[in-house]
């Protein structure tokens, strides 16, 4: 169920955590409907991601209609945070202290989830499968109640850096990035991969989420003489950048981060012709790929969408992303025994090892008590004007020597 957000006063920082920590936490018992909390940008500059929360909510509706998972049913309580960190804190505090959710899942965004990471850990509330690839979600030694899901941005940045060294070692790189931990993780991974070739970078242009456009940054990168463009942007700005590159007649080797490779939500608005030959990295199946026509998981997803979410964007990777999160939740609860405590849920999440049907060949979900990055492999893909086509072999973005 998707709930409409309301406005409340915002408590911030340690005072809020100290006060909240004194509140009693609800017990979890077999047969009880489990409340799952979530924050998602259904409005604001990252609203394209709202498709993820809608898909998860409808998948939970399906699970309940099918009798739940081993008899356990769920209530999905998802609030709009507008991609605003103060709003994320406000809505998460509401989920924890007023709605008394049992755990949080798939909350989206690096700056937004960063605003609640300390709070949810202080409250000992599982914050599972964060919808962001920031490297900070995989540190059980300091934040044992937080776990990511997708490949981390540093690793993906390394993949692009290694590709550039292999395919265009004499090139000049221009980087557009969101000026926060999300964007900087990508830049750091890319530079690490370049190593002593980091001087290939001739220009770096940050943007703020509040910026109306990134046109001026694109003009500066082209003027700097870059012939390789690393595009680290969320959907709205990614579409703007692709359109502006085409408008300027600029023909760089265009590398686009995974979080904006949705055909339906980004490339179509940017223009499919403008998007042709862009290279990205992908871990999930592309719903627009003709080869997926007879894929068992994709067929099951479309059957689910037909019945529960007919208005979904079938060309959007965000729909596949949300469906993958729903399947992961189902697997997690199939793995649980009678103990449904938060500690047991967290322990089960830290012992995942399975093939998820929405992932590309060779990409799996695996965690351990010390490894909170469930997905760590990707394929390089190139957009052919209609869909993403994988090339090469499955890649790890792990640091050299690790």
């Amino acid at each position: 169920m998707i709930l409409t957000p309301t406005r409340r006063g915002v408590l911030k920082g340690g005072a809020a955590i100290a006060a909240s920590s004194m509140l009693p936490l609800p017990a979890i018992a077999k047969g009880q409907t489990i409340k799952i909390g979530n924050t998602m940008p259904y409005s604001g500059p990252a609203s394209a991601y709202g498709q993820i929360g809608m898909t998860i909510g409808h998948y939970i509706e399906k699970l309940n209609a099918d009798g739940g998972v081993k008899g356990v049913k769920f209530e999905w309580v998802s609030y709009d945070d507008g991609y605003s960190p103060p709003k994320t804190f406000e809505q998460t505090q509401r989920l924890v202290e007023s709605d008394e959710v049992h755990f949080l899942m798939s909350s989206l965004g690096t700056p937004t989830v960063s605003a609640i990471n300390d709070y949810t850990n202080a409250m000992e509330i599982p914050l599972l499968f964060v919808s962001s690839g920031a490297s900070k979600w995989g540190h059980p030694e300091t934040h044992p109640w937080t776990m990511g899901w997708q490949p981390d941005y540093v690793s993906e940045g390394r993949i692009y850096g290694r590709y550039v060294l292999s395919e265009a070692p004499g090139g000049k790189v221009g980087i557009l990035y969101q000026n926060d931990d999300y964007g900087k993780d990508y830049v750091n991974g890319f530079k690490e991969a370049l190593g002593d070739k980091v001087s290939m970078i001739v220009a770096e242009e940050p943007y703020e989420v509040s910026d109306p456009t990134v046109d001026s940054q694109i003009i500066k990168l082209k003027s700097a003489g870059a012939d390789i463009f690393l595009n680290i942007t969320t959907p709205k700005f990614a579409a703007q950048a692709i359109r502006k590159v085409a408008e300027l007649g600029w023909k760089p080797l265009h590398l686009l981060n995974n979080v904006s490779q949705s055909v339906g939500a980004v490339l179509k608005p940017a223009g499919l012709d403008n998007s042709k030959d862009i290279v990205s990295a992908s871990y999930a199946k592309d719903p627009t790929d003709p080869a997926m026509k007879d894929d068992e998981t994709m067929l099951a997803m479309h059957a689910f969408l037909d019945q529960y979410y007919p208005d979904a964007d079938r060309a959007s990777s965000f729909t596949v992303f949300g469906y993958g999160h729903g399947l992961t939740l189902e697997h997690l609860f199939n793995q649980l025994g009678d103990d449904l405590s938060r500690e047991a849920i967290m322990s089960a999440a830290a012992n995942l090892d399975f093939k998820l049907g929405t992932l590309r060949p060779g990409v799996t979900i695996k965690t351990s008590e010390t490894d909170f990055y469930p997905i760590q492999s990707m394929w390089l893909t190139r957009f052919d004007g209609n869909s993403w086509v994988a090339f090469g072999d499955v890649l790890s973005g792990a640091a050299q020597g690790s």
Side-chain angles (χ1 to χ4, degrees), residues 47 85 95 138 149 212 318-319 331 333 343 352 362:
S47 59
L95 287 164
W149 191 76
F318 304 144
T319 305
H331 183 94
F333 273 77
E343 290 81 2
L352 297 174

Side-chain angles (χ1 to χ4, degrees), residues 159-230:
I159 289 173
Y160 297 133
R162 292 166 186 165
Y163 178 69
V164 164
L165 289 177
S166 171
E167 298 300 316
K172 298 178 181 179
V173 182
I175 303 175
L176 174 67
Y177 67 97
Q178 188 163 299
N179 191 22
D180 57 20
D181 289 344
Y182 142 63
K184 293 173 183 175
D185 264 4
Y186 270 108
V187 173
N188 290 338
F190 184 78
K191 288 182 175 178
E192 182 185 317
L194 291 186
D196 60 6
K197 303 294 184 184
V198 73
S199 60
M200 291 174 67
I201 300 172
V202 296
E204 299 178 45
E205 288 293 332
Y207 73 91
E208 306 295 335
V209 172
S210 57
D211 288 349
T213 78
V214 292
D215 287 359
S216 62
Q217 288 92 331
I218 299 297
I219 291 171
K220 289 178 182 176
L221 293 174
K222 180 177 184 291
S223 299
D227 54 14
I228 300 168
F229 174 34
L230 179 57

